Amino acid sequence: MSEIVQKIKDQKIVPLFYNESFEVSKNIIKALYEAGIRVIEYTNRGHQALENFTKLKEISHTEFPDLLLGIGTVKNIEEMEDYTNVKADFIITPVISEVLVKHALEKNILLIPGCFTPSDINIAFQNGLTLVKIFPADALGKNYIKSVQPVFPGMNFMPTGGIHAETEDIREWLNGGAIAAGLGSSLIGKDNNEEELTLKTKKLLQQLNHN
């Protein structure tokens, strides 16, 4: 298991978001970081995504030491190249294809592909990937991972899409075989209240790690 996959497993959640404003994006990352988050997915979902991500990576070494900042919603080779060039720590895609997998392997960057069917998962499995995103997770349900897991020994699963930022909901996914859950708008609201986000995230992490 790679260091990044292990950190995702330890963290149990991966916050993901996009905001057109660099300052707002920076403040959201700061709020999450102060709560204890060390793995974040910034999503490639707007005109400012590449520029914002580039700036965030430039400041992360000094302002957010040991933060792993990856990019999500990457759909083609061109986008993968753009974000590889600005040192994305990992790349998450909404879909999987042999072309994207092969390119990521050539570039030696961790790819976490979006998978929906066992055939999708098998592409990742046959190419030696160790973590896939199950997307959209809410369309498949909490028993899906447990059902497919025995067929793909050693594969790790991160459901994303429609998961509530609540301990009980996330625990059900974890108990069903997931190593972590991707959390978007259920964790990071539109009001962008950084103080509330820090408190909410810190409480969630504490509850998930309380035996």
Side-chain angles (χ1 to χ4, degrees):
M1 188 179 293
S2 76
E3 180 188 355
I4 298 174
V5 175
Q6 185 62 55
K7 286 193 174 182
I8 289 172
K9 185 177 182 180
D10 292 342
Q11 190 168 279
K12 296 184 176 64
I13 60 172
V14 175
L16 58 111
F17 78 98
Y18 168 76
N19 194 284
E20 206 76 12
S21 163
F22 167 72
E23 284 302 321
V24 172
S25 297
K26 176 185 170 182
N27 289 338
I28 289 172
I29 287 179
K30 184 172 184 285
L32 292 167
Y33 187 85
E34 288 179 352
I37 293 291
R38 292 298 180 269
V39 184
I40 296 172
E41 173 192 345
Y42 195 70
T43 57
N44 179 41
R45 293 189 182 180
H47 298 299
Q48 291 297 118
L50 181 58
E51 184 178 334
N52 286 352
F53 186 85
T54 303
K55 290 179 183 175
L56 290 167
K57 282 298 295 180
E58 286 171 354
I59 65 167
S60 66
H61 296 297
T62 52
E63 298 202 28
F64 312 115
D66 70 357
L67 175 69
L68 294 168
L69 184 62
I71 186 71
T73 324
V74 171
K75 301 179 291 295
N76 55 54
I77 296 294
E78 184 181 0
E79 291 173 350
M80 190 177 282
E81 278 285 303
D82 286 341
Y83 288 100
T84 302
N85 290 338
V86 294
K87 311 297 184 194
D89 289 304
F90 55 91
I91 290 176
I92 298 182
T93 60
V95 296
I96 187 168
S97 74
E98 291 274 6
V99 173
L100 290 173
V101 172
K102 298 288 188 191
H103 194 72
L105 291 171
E106 286 171 9
K107 293 293 181 179
N108 195 31
I109 185 165
L110 176 67
L111 175 67
I112 304 170
C115 296
F116 190 76
T117 67
S119 296
D120 290 343
I121 299 167
N122 192 50
I123 295 173
F125 185 74
Q126 295 298 331
N127 282 281
L129 303 189
T130 59
L131 175 60
V132 296
K133 175 176 79 169
I134 297 300
F135 176 79
D138 55 347
L140 291 165
K142 292 170 183 170
N143 293 322
Y144 180 76
I145 293 172
K146 194 174 284 186
S147 298
V148 298
Q149 206 166 29
V151 185
F152 303 103
M155 181 60 76
N156 297 285
F157 300 89
M158 180 174 69
T160 304
I163 299 175
H164 302 294
E166 297 167 1
T167 307
E168 186 177 339
D169 195 45
I170 296 166
R171 275 206 179 125
E172 285 183 22
W173 284 102
L174 297 175
N175 291 337
I179 66 162
L183 298 178
S185 58
S186 66
L187 178 65
I188 303 163
K190 291 182 179 178
D191 60 356
N192 299 315
N193 184 316
E194 287 87 17
E195 188 176 339
E196 283 183 13
L197 178 57
T198 297
L199 291 172
K200 181 180 181 180
T201 307
K202 186 180 288 186
K203 181 180 179 182
L204 189 59
L205 288 173
Q206 288 172 343
Q207 289 174 339
L208 287 171
N209 287 286
H210 179 70
N211 296 323

